[in-house]
Amino acid sequence: RLTLEIERRVYSLLNKPRGVLTTNYDPAGRPRVVDIMKGVTQRLFSVGRLDQDSEGLLLLTNDGELANKLAHPRYEVPKTYVVQVAGRPTAEDMAKMRKGVYLSEGRVAVDNVRKVGTRGRSMLLEVVLSEGRNREIRRLLARLGHKVMRLQRTAIGPISDRNLQPGEYRKLRPEEVEALRKPARKSRPPHKKSPAAHP
């Protein structure tokens, strides 16, 4: 008798520490997200990468359909970041970020940006981005003359968790999975032509 085993769906939220890679393979042997997810036997996809120097919330799932929808620019799932930048970006700088700044591949803009605090000679910004090109936030701020000192993703769509410590992960609650499916069902034509990548 032939039996087909249906793989159980896994939806996990990880607080990725700085210095950890989202790739499943690294010949240099650096720490990876999959090394943190001990006891998980399913092959998981990361939804929207975070580069090695970035930290914060990362969604991991073996639901390929949902992962593709959430990562695709046309679905415009907002992701929220707290960014510590050297210097003090002005209101004009932030207006330029909203309006768009030209990088090598074209105009890049954020959904919203606001000041949330200061730390010494640096400033803390909250940046909301629906479409992430490769290291977009870092490159955008560098073009305006401000180096990113720290970049932390604090929310993916409606999902956030301030109690999740770096290196910790938890299963998403059923209502959180359903909340992620809702924006994935509503798509709009892409206004920029670019693949989803890590900011």
Side-chain angles (χ1 to χ4, degrees):
R1 178 185 294 180
L2 179 65
T3 59
L4 297 176
E5 182 178 346
I6 300 175
E7 187 176 50
R8 182 174 57 88
R9 292 299 187 199
V10 175
Y11 305 92
S12 295
L13 185 69
L14 166 72
N15 188 346
K16 186 189 92 65
R18 190 171 183 174
V20 175
L21 303 179
T22 56
T23 182
N24 284 344
Y25 176 71
D26 179 53
R30 292 170 293 184
R32 305 164 302 164
V33 163
V34 290
D35 298 323
I36 297 175
M37 307 291 290
K38 299 184 185 300
V40 178
T41 58
Q42 294 89 344
R43 179 178 171 82
L44 302 181
F45 306 94
S46 60
V47 180
R49 295 191 173 201
L50 284 172
D51 66 47
Q52 183 179 4
D53 295 326
S54 300
E55 58 195 292
L57 299 183
L58 188 66
L59 178 63
L60 296 150
T61 181
N62 60 347
D63 186 339
E65 181 181 0
L66 180 63
N68 289 335
K69 285 184 175 181
L70 290 174
H72 198 285
R74 71 178 293 183
Y75 292 94
E76 297 187 343
V77 177
K79 299 176 181 68
T80 306
Y81 303 83
V82 173
V83 186
Q84 182 181 2
V85 297
R88 299 290 175 85
T90 63
E92 183 182 1
D93 288 332
M94 287 183 262
K96 288 179 180 178
M97 292 175 69
R98 296 185 198 97
K99 184 177 181 181
V101 174
Y102 282 90
L103 300 178
S104 58
E105 66 270 49
R107 188 176 69 87
V108 171
V110 304
D111 294 9
N112 195 26
V113 56
R114 66 186 182 95
K115 174 185 173 182
V116 292
T118 56
R119 188 171 295 169
R121 295 182 179 180
S122 65
M123 181 180 285
L124 297 175
L125 301 176
E126 183 185 78
V127 180
V128 181
L129 191 67
S130 292
E131 185 180 18
R133 305 186 191 197
N134 189 28
R135 298 176 70 87
E136 178 172 347
I137 294 175
R138 296 179 187 277
R139 294 165 61 214
L140 197 159
L141 281 160
R143 179 58 60 91
L144 296 173
H146 297 283
K147 181 180 179 180
V148 170
M149 303 168 65
R150 183 179 180 186
L151 190 150
Q152 180 181 29
R153 183 188 287 159
T154 57
I156 303 171
I159 310 301
S160 63
D161 192 330
R162 293 185 179 183
N163 296 321
L164 204 62
Q165 298 302 306
E168 291 183 348
Y169 64 94
R170 65 168 177 83
K171 293 180 180 179
L172 288 185
R173 297 183 292 273
E175 61 269 23
E176 290 177 316
V177 176
E178 183 60 24
L180 285 171
R181 291 188 187 282
K182 287 180 180 177
R185 293 188 186 123
K186 301 175 183 177
S187 63
R188 287 184 283 173
H191 57 275
K192 305 172 197 167
K193 295 180 181 180
S194 69
H198 41 88

